[in-house]
PDB file of all heavy atoms in Angstrom:
ATOM      1  N   VAL A1321      90.287 108.199 101.589  1.00  0.00           N
ATOM      2  CA  VAL A1321      89.598 109.237 102.360  1.00  0.00           C
ATOM      3  C   VAL A1321      88.649 108.555 103.336  1.00  0.00           C
ATOM      4  O   VAL A1321      87.834 107.718 102.941  1.00  0.00           O
ATOM      5  CB  VAL A1321      88.820 110.178 101.419  1.00  0.00           C
ATOM      6  CG1 VAL A1321      88.026 111.200 102.211  1.00  0.00           C
ATOM      7  CG2 VAL A1321      89.783 110.870 100.456  1.00  0.00           C
ATOM      8  N   PRO A1322      88.742 108.915 104.638  1.00  0.00           N
ATOM      9  CA  PRO A1322      87.876 108.268 105.619  1.00  0.00           C
ATOM     10  C   PRO A1322      86.437 108.762 105.506  1.00  0.00           C
ATOM     11  O   PRO A1322      86.191 109.928 105.204  1.00  0.00           O
ATOM     12  CB  PRO A1322      88.486 108.683 106.962  1.00  0.00           C
ATOM     13  CG  PRO A1322      89.132 109.993 106.677  1.00  0.00           C
ATOM     14  CD  PRO A1322      89.623 109.904 105.256  1.00  0.00           C
ATOM     15  N   ARG A1323      85.509 107.865 105.757  1.00  0.00           N
ATOM     16  CA  ARG A1323      84.112 108.270 105.902  1.00  0.00           C
ATOM     17  C   ARG A1323      83.951 108.802 107.314  1.00  0.00           C
ATOM     18  O   ARG A1323      84.485 108.247 108.259  1.00  0.00           O
ATOM     19  CB  ARG A1323      83.178 107.084 105.692  1.00  0.00           C
ATOM     20  CG  ARG A1323      83.162 106.636 104.261  1.00  0.00           C
ATOM     21  CD  ARG A1323      82.103 105.598 104.065  1.00  0.00           C
ATOM     22  NE  ARG A1323      82.151 105.118 102.687  1.00  0.00           N
ATOM     23  CZ  ARG A1323      81.448 104.102 102.269  1.00  0.00           C
ATOM     24  NH1 ARG A1323      80.649 103.447 103.096  1.00  0.00           N
ATOM     25  NH2 ARG A1323      81.541 103.715 101.002  1.00  0.00           N
ATOM     26  N   THR A1324      83.234 109.876 107.451  1.00  0.00           N
ATOM     27  CA  THR A1324      83.050 110.486 108.766  1.00  0.00           C
ATOM     28  C   THR A1324      81.578 110.477 109.129  1.00  0.00           C
ATOM     29  O   THR A1324      80.735 110.109 108.319  1.00  0.00           O
ATOM     30  CB  THR A1324      83.574 111.933 108.775  1.00  0.00           C
ATOM     31  OG1 THR A1324      82.867 112.670 107.775  1.00  0.00           O
ATOM     32  CG2 THR A1324      85.056 111.986 108.486  1.00  0.00           C
ATOM     33  N   GLY A1325      81.299 110.914 110.340  1.00  0.00           N
ATOM     34  CA  GLY A1325      79.902 111.048 110.697  1.00  0.00           C
ATOM     35  C   GLY A1325      79.481 110.399 111.986  1.00  0.00           C
ATOM     36  O   GLY A1325      78.419 109.816 112.060  1.00  0.00           O
ATOM     37  N   ASN A1326      80.322 110.492 113.033  1.00  0.00           N
ATOM     38  CA  ASN A1326      79.846 109.962 114.306  1.00  0.00           C
ATOM     39  C   ASN A1326      78.864 110.920 114.970  1.00  0.00           C
ATOM     40  O   ASN A1326      78.260 110.594 115.970  1.00  0.00           O
ATOM     41  CB  ASN A1326      81.010 109.603 115.247  1.00  0.00           C
ATOM     42  CG  ASN A1326      81.767 110.825 115.769  1.00  0.00           C
ATOM     43  OD1 ASN A1326      81.373 111.975 115.557  1.00  0.00           O
ATOM     44  ND2 ASN A1326      82.867 110.580 116.440  1.00  0.00           N
ATOM     45  N   GLY A1327      78.734 112.148 114.403  1.00  0.00           N
ATOM     46  CA  GLY A1327      77.764 113.104 114.902  1.00  0.00           C
ATOM     47  C   GLY A1327      78.162 113.832 116.176  1.00  0.00           C
ATOM     48  O   GLY A1327      77.465 114.712 116.627  1.00  0.00           O
ATOM     49  N   ARG A1328      79.303 113.486 116.765  1.00  0.00           N
ATOM     50  CA  ARG A1328      79.698 114.107 118.028  1.00  0.00           C
ATOM     51  C   ARG A1328      80.575 115.338 117.819  1.00  0.00           C
ATOM     52  O   ARG A1328      80.747 116.121 118.732  1.00  0.00           O
ATOM     53  CB  ARG A1328      80.445 113.097 118.891  1.00  0.00           C
ATOM     54  CG  ARG A1328      79.584 111.909 119.281  1.00  0.00           C
ATOM     55  CD  ARG A1328      80.267 111.039 120.308  1.00  0.00           C
ATOM     56  NE  ARG A1328      81.679 110.859 120.026  1.00  0.00           N
ATOM     57  CZ  ARG A1328      82.283 109.685 119.885  1.00  0.00           C
ATOM     58  NH1 ARG A1328      81.578 108.584 119.979  1.00  0.00           N
ATOM     59  NH2 ARG A1328      83.572 109.611 119.653  1.00  0.00           N
ATOM     60  N   GLY A1329      81.185 115.487 116.682  1.00  0.00           N
ATOM     61  CA  GLY A1329      82.048 116.631 116.439  1.00  0.00           C
ATOM     62  C   GLY A1329      83.455 116.476 116.983  1.00  0.00           C
ATOM     63  O   GLY A1329      84.299 117.323 116.765  1.00  0.00           O
ATOM     64  N   ASP A1330      83.712 115.400 117.739  1.00  0.00           N
ATOM     65  CA  ASP A1330      85.048 115.200 118.298  1.00  0.00           C
ATOM     66  C   ASP A1330      85.846 114.164 117.509  1.00  0.00           C
ATOM     67  O   ASP A1330      86.891 113.716 117.946  1.00  0.00           O
ATOM     68  CB  ASP A1330      84.962 114.777 119.763  1.00  0.00           C
ATOM     69  CG  ASP A1330      84.271 113.435 119.950  1.00  0.00           C
ATOM     70  OD1 ASP A1330      83.661 112.929 118.984  1.00  0.00           O
ATOM     71  OD2 ASP A1330      84.330 112.894 121.067  1.00  0.00           O
ATOM     72  N   GLU A1331      85.351 113.825 116.373  1.00  0.00           N
ATOM     73  CA  GLU A1331      85.958 112.770 115.570  1.00  0.00           C
ATOM     74  C   GLU A1331      87.341 113.166 115.044  1.00  0.00           C
ATOM     75  O   GLU A1331      87.553 114.288 114.612  1.00  0.00           O
ATOM     76  CB  GLU A1331      85.034 112.448 114.400  1.00  0.00           C
ATOM     77  CG  GLU A1331      85.447 111.245 113.606  1.00  0.00           C
ATOM     78  CD  GLU A1331      84.342 110.828 112.648  1.00  0.00           C
ATOM     79  OE1 GLU A1331      83.770 111.688 111.984  1.00  0.00           O
ATOM     80  OE2 GLU A1331      84.071 109.629 112.596  1.00  0.00           O
ATOM     81  N   ILE A1332      88.252 112.228 115.106  1.00  0.00           N
ATOM     82  CA  ILE A1332      89.577 112.385 114.513  1.00  0.00           C
ATOM     83  C   ILE A1332      89.583 111.574 113.229  1.00  0.00           C
ATOM     84  O   ILE A1332      89.140 110.425 113.216  1.00  0.00           O
ATOM     85  CB  ILE A1332      90.684 111.880 115.460  1.00  0.00           C
ATOM     86  CG1 ILE A1332      90.713 112.719 116.734  1.00  0.00           C
ATOM     87  CG2 ILE A1332      92.039 111.908 114.765  1.00  0.00           C
ATOM     88  CD1 ILE A1332      91.611 112.155 117.811  1.00  0.00           C
ATOM     89  N   THR A1333      90.048 112.177 112.154  1.00  0.00           N
ATOM     90  CA  THR A1333      90.121 111.451 110.890  1.00  0.00           C
ATOM     91  C   THR A1333      91.573 111.324 110.451  1.00  0.00           C
ATOM     92  O   THR A1333      92.438 112.096 110.870  1.00  0.00           O
ATOM     93  CB  THR A1333      89.314 112.158 109.783  1.00  0.00           C
ATOM     94  OG1 THR A1333      89.869 113.455 109.567  1.00  0.00           O
ATOM     95  CG2 THR A1333      87.851 112.248 110.142  1.00  0.00           C
ATOM     96  N   MET A1334      91.822 110.361 109.592  1.00  0.00           N
ATOM     97  CA  MET A1334      93.161 110.126 109.085  1.00  0.00           C
ATOM     98  C   MET A1334      93.055 109.836 107.588  1.00  0.00           C
ATOM     99  O   MET A1334      92.562 108.781 107.192  1.00  0.00           O
ATOM    100  CB  MET A1334      93.817 108.954 109.817  1.00  0.00           C
ATOM    101  CG  MET A1334      95.253 108.734 109.432  1.00  0.00           C
ATOM    102  SD  MET A1334      96.028 107.412 110.395  1.00  0.00           S
ATOM    103  CE  MET A1334      95.298 105.977 109.646  1.00  0.00           C
ATOM    104  N   GLU A1335      93.499 110.775 106.792  1.00  0.00           N
ATOM    105  CA  GLU A1335      93.522 110.628 105.338  1.00  0.00           C
ATOM    106  C   GLU A1335      94.888 110.047 104.962  1.00  0.00           C
ATOM    107  O   GLU A1335      95.902 110.433 105.552  1.00  0.00           O
ATOM    108  CB  GLU A1335      93.350 112.022 104.736  1.00  0.00           C
ATOM    109  CG  GLU A1335      92.981 112.075 103.312  1.00  0.00           C
ATOM    110  CD  GLU A1335      92.646 113.507 102.904  1.00  0.00           C
ATOM    111  OE1 GLU A1335      92.509 114.396 103.767  1.00  0.00           O
ATOM    112  OE2 GLU A1335      92.540 113.716 101.695  1.00  0.00           O
ATOM    113  N   VAL A1336      94.927 109.121 104.002  1.00  0.00           N
ATOM    114  CA  VAL A1336      96.164 108.386 103.712  1.00  0.00           C
ATOM    115  C   VAL A1336      96.428 108.332 102.212  1.00  0.00           C
ATOM    116  O   VAL A1336      95.498 108.170 101.414  1.00  0.00           O
ATOM    117  CB  VAL A1336      96.072 106.933 104.260  1.00  0.00           C
ATOM    118  CG1 VAL A1336      97.345 106.162 103.991  1.00  0.00           C
ATOM    119  CG2 VAL A1336      95.734 106.923 105.733  1.00  0.00           C
ATOM    120  N   TRP A1337      97.711 108.465 101.840  1.00  0.00           N
ATOM    121  CA  TRP A1337      98.151 108.275 100.465  1.00  0.00           C
ATOM    122  C   TRP A1337      99.144 107.109 100.466  1.00  0.00           C
ATOM    123  O   TRP A1337     100.175 107.161 101.140  1.00  0.00           O
ATOM    124  CB  TRP A1337      98.846 109.531  99.945  1.00  0.00           C
ATOM    125  CG  TRP A1337      97.930 110.674  99.691  1.00  0.00           C
ATOM    126  CD1 TRP A1337      97.433 111.058  98.475  1.00  0.00           C
ATOM    127  CD2 TRP A1337      97.405 111.611 100.641  1.00  0.00           C
ATOM    128  NE1 TRP A1337      96.631 112.174  98.631  1.00  0.00           N
ATOM    129  CE2 TRP A1337      96.589 112.526  99.947  1.00  0.00           C
ATOM    130  CE3 TRP A1337      97.525 111.751 102.033  1.00  0.00           C
ATOM    131  CZ2 TRP A1337      95.922 113.574 100.580  1.00  0.00           C
ATOM    132  CZ3 TRP A1337      96.850 112.793 102.670  1.00  0.00           C
ATOM    133  CH2 TRP A1337      96.068 113.684 101.934  1.00  0.00           C
ATOM    134  N   LEU A1338      98.827 106.035  99.742  1.00  0.00           N
ATOM    135  CA  LEU A1338      99.660 104.834  99.671  1.00  0.00           C
ATOM    136  C   LEU A1338     100.365 104.782  98.326  1.00  0.00           C
ATOM    137  O   LEU A1338      99.762 105.076  97.291  1.00  0.00           O
ATOM    138  CB  LEU A1338      98.808 103.584  99.841  1.00  0.00           C
ATOM    139  CG  LEU A1338      97.944 103.502 101.090  1.00  0.00           C
ATOM    140  CD1 LEU A1338      97.027 102.284 101.026  1.00  0.00           C
ATOM    141  CD2 LEU A1338      98.788 103.471 102.333  1.00  0.00           C
ATOM    142  N   ALA A1339     101.631 104.380  98.321  1.00  0.00           N
ATOM    143  CA  ALA A1339     102.403 104.299  97.082  1.00  0.00           C
ATOM    144  C   ALA A1339     102.499 102.846  96.611  1.00  0.00           C
ATOM    145  O   ALA A1339     103.225 102.049  97.202  1.00  0.00           O
ATOM    146  CB  ALA A1339     103.805 104.870  97.284  1.00  0.00           C
ATOM    147  N   PRO A1340     101.771 102.472  95.545  1.00  0.00           N
ATOM    148  CA  PRO A1340     101.865 101.102  95.027  1.00  0.00           C
ATOM    149  C   PRO A1340     103.293 100.705  94.652  1.00  0.00           C
ATOM    150  O   PRO A1340     103.688  99.559  94.851  1.00  0.00           O
ATOM    151  CB  PRO A1340     100.958 101.125  93.797  1.00  0.00           C
ATOM    152  CG  PRO A1340      99.975 102.208  94.081  1.00  0.00           C
ATOM    153  CD  PRO A1340     100.758 103.251  94.836  1.00  0.00           C
ATOM    154  N   SER A1341     104.095 101.662  94.168  1.00  0.00           N
ATOM    155  CA  SER A1341     105.472 101.348  93.771  1.00  0.00           C
ATOM    156  C   SER A1341     106.367 101.057  94.970  1.00  0.00           C
ATOM    157  O   SER A1341     107.478 100.547  94.808  1.00  0.00           O
ATOM    158  CB  SER A1341     106.068 102.493  92.959  1.00  0.00           C
ATOM    159  OG  SER A1341     106.170 103.662  93.764  1.00  0.00           O
ATOM    160  N   LEU A1342     105.898 101.374  96.182  1.00  0.00           N
ATOM    161  CA  LEU A1342     106.657 101.127  97.408  1.00  0.00           C
ATOM    162  C   LEU A1342     105.917 100.129  98.298  1.00  0.00           C
ATOM    163  O   LEU A1342     105.879 100.262  99.517  1.00  0.00           O
ATOM    164  CB  LEU A1342     106.889 102.440  98.168  1.00  0.00           C
ATOM    165  CG  LEU A1342     107.648 103.525  97.411  1.00  0.00           C
ATOM    166  CD1 LEU A1342     107.689 104.813  98.209  1.00  0.00           C
ATOM    167  CD2 LEU A1342     109.049 103.050  97.057  1.00  0.00           C
ATOM    168  N   GLN A1343     105.307  99.131  97.676  1.00  0.00           N
ATOM    169  CA  GLN A1343     104.583  98.077  98.379  1.00  0.00           C
ATOM    170  C   GLN A1343     103.454  98.649  99.243  1.00  0.00           C
ATOM    171  O   GLN A1343     103.188  98.193 100.338  1.00  0.00           O
ATOM    172  CB  GLN A1343     105.540  97.226  99.220  1.00  0.00           C
ATOM    173  CG  GLN A1343     106.604  96.555  98.398  1.00  0.00           C
ATOM    174  CD  GLN A1343     107.636  95.856  99.253  1.00  0.00           C
ATOM    175  OE1 GLN A1343     107.614  95.896 100.468  1.00  0.00           O
ATOM    176  NE2 GLN A1343     108.573  95.203  98.594  1.00  0.00           N
ATOM    177  N   TYR A1344     102.792  99.680  98.746  1.00  0.00           N
ATOM    178  CA  TYR A1344     101.665 100.345  99.404  1.00  0.00           C
ATOM    179  C   TYR A1344     102.051 100.982 100.736  1.00  0.00           C
ATOM    180  O   TYR A1344     101.232 101.137 101.628  1.00  0.00           O
ATOM    181  CB  TYR A1344     100.466  99.403  99.552  1.00  0.00           C
ATOM    182  CG  TYR A1344      99.880  99.075  98.207  1.00  0.00           C
ATOM    183  CD1 TYR A1344     100.277  97.920  97.523  1.00  0.00           C
ATOM    184  CD2 TYR A1344      98.971  99.924  97.596  1.00  0.00           C
ATOM    185  CE1 TYR A1344      99.767  97.634  96.265  1.00  0.00           C
ATOM    186  CE2 TYR A1344      98.457  99.638  96.337  1.00  0.00           C
ATOM    187  CZ  TYR A1344      98.858  98.487  95.687  1.00  0.00           C
ATOM    188  OH  TYR A1344      98.362  98.208  94.448  1.00  0.00           O
ATOM    189  N   LEU A1345     103.282 101.411 100.851  1.00  0.00           N
ATOM    190  CA  LEU A1345     103.735 102.143 102.023  1.00  0.00           C
ATOM    191  C   LEU A1345     103.007 103.488 102.065  1.00  0.00           C
ATOM    192  O   LEU A1345     102.873 104.156 101.045  1.00  0.00           O
ATOM    193  CB  LEU A1345     105.250 102.381 101.920  1.00  0.00           C
ATOM    194  CG  LEU A1345     105.910 103.100 103.081  1.00  0.00           C
ATOM    195  CD1 LEU A1345     106.020 102.140 104.275  1.00  0.00           C
ATOM    196  CD2 LEU A1345     107.303 103.565 102.679  1.00  0.00           C
TER     197      LEU A1345
END
């Protein structure tokens, strides 16, 4: 989960789920 908080409100975030069984793909 990305940390947010640039305070501008225009921030783009990217949440990611990695699979250890697939070499963290």
